[in-house]
């Protein structure tokens, strides 16, 4: 039982490049989330998905797109990366009020 | 949207001491969780506690929903308790889960 798996763990991008962060959960949870964590800012919600086929904006959605491919997978795409998107990204899934987090992706945009 | 405020922002303790962390939130919620982020960045769910009191070993939590706050108690602190403690709330289970800015705890031997 792997829980929530994120890939990659580390990534360096040049400004303007695109990439997709992958997230998969094997706990049959309906809700999935993407957060970013910056020093002194806590975790800020980018997008979330309450169920397969639905997505909704969080606190900081600009510059990101998401796709809930199926119940297991929820991906986050940066179409044109900017230095302001340098951060640690966390994916999470939730059931009955208990959220489980992936290990995080440390993204640097230069 | 919901606002979540945690206090204190930082806390330094000697091993063995007790502490209380507070989480205030701006609206009625049906989902409140406490998390611990260890020094390696891993986030672990401690409690799901939209109301009432729960205990797990040296940790306990109380939420007074009518007054919109929650408290996390750590007793007999250990160095392994170090890290950042986050409170997160949502209107419902499976809804937008919004985090506070955390309390950074450092337990000294």
């Amino acid at each position: 039982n792997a829980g929530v798996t994120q890939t990659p763990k580390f990534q360096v991008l040049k400004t303007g490049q695109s990439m997709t962060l992958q997230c998969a959960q094997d706990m049959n949870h309906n809700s999935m989330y993407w957060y970013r964590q910056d020093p002194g800012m806590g975790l800020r919600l980018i997008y979330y998905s309450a169920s397969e086929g639905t997505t909704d904006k969080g606190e900081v959605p600009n510059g990101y797109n998401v796709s809930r491919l199926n119940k297991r997978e929820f991906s986050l795409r940066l179409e044109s990366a900017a230095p302001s998107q340098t951060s640690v990204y966390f994916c999470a899934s939730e059931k009955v009020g208990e959220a489980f987090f992936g290990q995080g992706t440390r993204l640097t945009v230069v | 949207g919901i606002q979540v405020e945690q206090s204190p922002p930082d806390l330094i303790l000697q091993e063995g001491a007790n502490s209380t962390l507070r989480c205030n939130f701006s609206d009625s919620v049906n989902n409140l969780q406490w998390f611990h982020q260890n020094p390696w960045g891993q986030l672990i769910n401690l409690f799901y506690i939209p109301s009432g009191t729960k205990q797990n070993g040296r940790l306990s939590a109380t939420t007074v929903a009518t007054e919109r706050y929650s408290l996390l108690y750590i007793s007999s602190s250990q160095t392994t308790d170090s890290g950042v403690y986050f409170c997160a709330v949502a209107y419902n289970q499976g809804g937008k889960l919004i985090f506070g800015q955390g309390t950074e705890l450092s337990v000294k031997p």
Side-chain angles (χ1 to χ4, degrees):
Chain A
N1 188 341
V4 179
T5 303
Q6 288 182 237
T7 55
K9 289 185 173 55
F10 301 94
Q11 183 72 49
V12 178
L13 289 178
K14 294 182 178 179
T15 297
Q17 286 185 318
S18 62
M19 78 161 296
T20 299
L21 281 64
Q22 306 287 353
C23 176
Q25 52 96 4
D26 60 4
M27 297 174 282
N28 202 35
H29 293 169
N30 285 320
S31 298
M32 297 186 73
Y33 306 83
W34 276 105
Y35 292 90
R36 61 178 288 173
Q37 185 175 28
D38 303 295
M41 300 291 289
L43 280 86
R44 292 184 292 170
L45 181 64
I46 305 171
Y47 272 93
Y48 89 111
S49 170
S51 61
E52 181 181 352
T54 68
T55 61
D56 199 1
K57 294 178 180 179
E59 302 165 281
V60 289
N62 292 343
Y64 305 95
N65 288 302
V66 290
S67 178
R68 183 76 183 267
L69 303 169
N70 47 55
K71 195 171 188 178
R72 290 187 64 249
E73 298 172 291
F74 189 37
S75 61
L76 179 72
R77 183 160 178 83
L78 287 70
E79 291 290 352
S80 179
S84 61
Q85 294 177 304
T86 293
S87 189
V88 180
Y89 291 84
F90 286 97
C91 175
S93 69
E94 184 185 32
K95 66 127 180 169
V96 197
E98 185 175 1
F100 296 85
F101 280 81
Q103 296 172 299
T105 297
R106 187 173 294 274
L107 175 66
T108 302
V109 183
V110 298
Chain B
I2 305 172
Q3 305 297 314
V4 185
E5 294 184 2
Q6 292 186 242
S7 60
D10 304 282
L11 189 57
I12 300 174
L13 298 175
Q14 286 297 127
E15 200 168 24
N18 303 326
S19 62
T20 301
L21 284 57
R22 186 177 179 104
C23 171
N24 293 331
F25 45 96
S26 61
D27 205 348
S28 298
V29 297
N30 290 301
N31 183 350
L32 187 147
Q33 301 178 46
W34 283 97
F35 296 86
H36 175 221
Q37 186 171 37
N38 65 24
W40 296 271
Q42 187 180 14
L43 281 151
I44 302 296
N45 187 289
L46 298 175
F47 293 104
Y48 165 65
I49 186 164
S51 63
T53 297
K54 288 186 178 179
Q55 181 160 4
N56 184 2
R58 296 180 296 104
L59 272 60
S60 63
T62 295
T63 297
V64 183
T66 53
E67 297 188 21
R68 300 181 184 169
Y69 72 89
S70 183
L71 302 173
L72 178 68
Y73 306 96
I74 304 174
S75 64
S76 305
S77 58
Q78 300 176 359
T79 56
T80 52
D81 295 330
S82 295
V84 184
Y85 289 81
F86 290 103
C87 167
V89 303
Y91 288 117
N92 294 295
Q93 295 173 9
K96 293 183 182 181
L97 190 61
I98 303 300
F99 279 70
Q101 295 197 354
T103 292
E104 184 164 7
L105 175 66
S106 179
V107 181
K108 304 295 186 184

